[in-house]
Every structure is written in C-alpha cells, then in structure tokens.
Amino acid sequence: MLAGIKNFFKRSFLENRPYRTFAIALLSSVLFIASLYCAFFTSGYADFFTSLFISIFAAALYAFALFSIYRIAPLRSPDILLVMSVPIALAILFRIYCLDHVTTDYTVFLSQWTNYFRDNGGFLALDSSIGNYNIPYLYFLALFSYLPFPDLYLIKLLSVFFDFILALYCTKLLSVFTKNQTKLQLCYCIVLLLPTVLLNGSYWGQCDSIYVSFAIMSLYYALSGRPFLSVSLLAVSFSFKLQAVFFMPIFLLLLFSKHIRIRH
C-alpha cells in the first residue's frame, strides 16, 4: 500500500508539471488567505479599517517579494517564483499572527514616544530630546503619529518590511559569489524564516532589521563596484543604530582589497 501511494505521488506530483504547479499554487494561496484571515479576525487591537490596512500591506508585501526575487537574474523564472511564493506566504502569515503581542519595551518606550509626537505637533517635536534611538528612526515614529492606525502595528510593520529587504539583499550578496539557484532560494528562505529575524520585528517590535538591511546593502554594492553608494548606505545604517560599528572591520578588508578607497 505504501509503495502504491509512493508511486502515485511520484507520477502525479514529481513527474507531472501541471499537478505540481497546481499544488504549489494552491498551498501558497491557502497560506496567503490564512494570513489575511489573521489580519481581519485575530487582531485584537484592530478595527475594520486597520484590518483592511494590514491586509493591503500583506498583499503589497507579497507582490513586492515576488517581484524583487524576479529581479535577481539567476532566479528569473516563473517556476522559481511559484516555488518561492510558498515560503513568502508562510513568512507573512507568521508575522501577521505575531502583530498583537505587546512587549514592555513597546508600552514603556515606543508607544510613549509616539504619543509624545502626536501630542506635540508630530515632526515639530523632533527638536525635543526624546527617547534613546537615533533621529532617523524617530522620524518614522513622528510620521506614525499622524496616521489613524494603532502604533503597535505601524512600528512592527516597518520592521517587517525591512525583514524582506534583508532577505533580498542577503540573497543578492550571495549571488555575487554563486549563481546556483538552489543556494540562492535557500538563502532567501532561511533569512526570512530565521526565528531571530521573524521574532525581532513582528513579535518584539524591534528595529534591528533596518540597520542590518542597510549594512548588507552596503556590503553588496561594495562588491558590485559601486563604492560611493556602499559607503553612503553604511552611513545610513550607522545613523539608525550604533551597532552598525560591528560591520566596520569588514570595510577595512574591503579597503585593503581596493573595493573601496579612502576618498570614498
């Protein structure tokens, strides 16, 4: 009986492209619909319009992820996009499910800072000394103070967006060294579904994916022959969080290998 099931699976799925395509598309659709369900029916702090906003964000992020993968030359294939749609939908589902979690860091710091901006003129309040984050991130909090959606979701969705930027540029960075499609697909999926990446933004509401994304972008462009852009992105990374200093030794190696020069 097991042998019969195995042969049926092999004939109908592994060796039959239409069945395989349909199965993958169906799984991806189910996961994506589940993420929209979470957005509408499990968001404890969301009204209808907030749920709609989260759903639109999820759909746009899904489209952006597939489009950005297609822009990577070795992965420019409809079959690859179809396969990648499953982990992408799964990653979005996990993140939406985590959005309602409230941390002490949010209640004591992030929400208080956003409320301060809301009560004191938004961007006009940036001249005050508030919080212990660098100015670029505070600009986002000031922007959120104008929007009619819960701060908790806005703060987390910002980090979620940069999770996908991080996965994209880790994959692009790997593409400098290899054009192997399997390795590139695994890189994207591993970064996107890595528990530390997944939990950092969508569960804990932290913003580490932002500065790390800019640092990885910087490294990618340094190795791609665009040193001015590379150094500029490293400066942006440093402006978000001082922990970007840990990337500096890599740039010393790039300096010695003449990928960048002192004038940059």
Side-chain angles (χ1 to χ4, degrees), residues 148-162:
F149 305 113
D151 304 335
L152 178 68
Y153 296 145
L154 295 172
I155 289 169
K156 288 188 173 186
L157 291 178
L158 174 65
S159 296
V160 166
F161 173 73
F162 276 95

Side-chain angles (χ1 to χ4, degrees), residues 44-71:
Y45 298 91
D47 55 20
F48 172 80
F49 290 105
T50 301
S51 296
L52 180 62
F53 168 73
I54 295 173
S55 299
I56 293 173
F57 176 88
L61 189 61
Y62 185 76
F64 167 78
L66 291 176
F67 176 76
S68 62
I69 289 173
Y70 188 77
R71 296 280 295 175

Side-chain angles (χ1 to χ4, degrees), residues 33-53:
I33 291 171
S35 69
L36 297 184
Y37 176 85
C38 287
F40 263 97
F41 299 108
T42 66
S43 299
Y45 298 91
D47 55 20
F48 172 80
F49 290 105
T50 301
S51 296
L52 180 62
F53 168 73

Side-chain angles (χ1 to χ4, degrees), residues 5-24:
I5 295 174
K6 180 179 179 181
N7 290 333
F8 173 78
F9 177 79
K10 183 178 180 180
R11 289 194 308 269
S12 63
F13 185 75
L14 297 179
E15 297 177 356
N16 192 313
R17 182 174 177 179
Y19 278 112
R20 184 172 67 247
T21 300
F22 174 76
I24 295 174

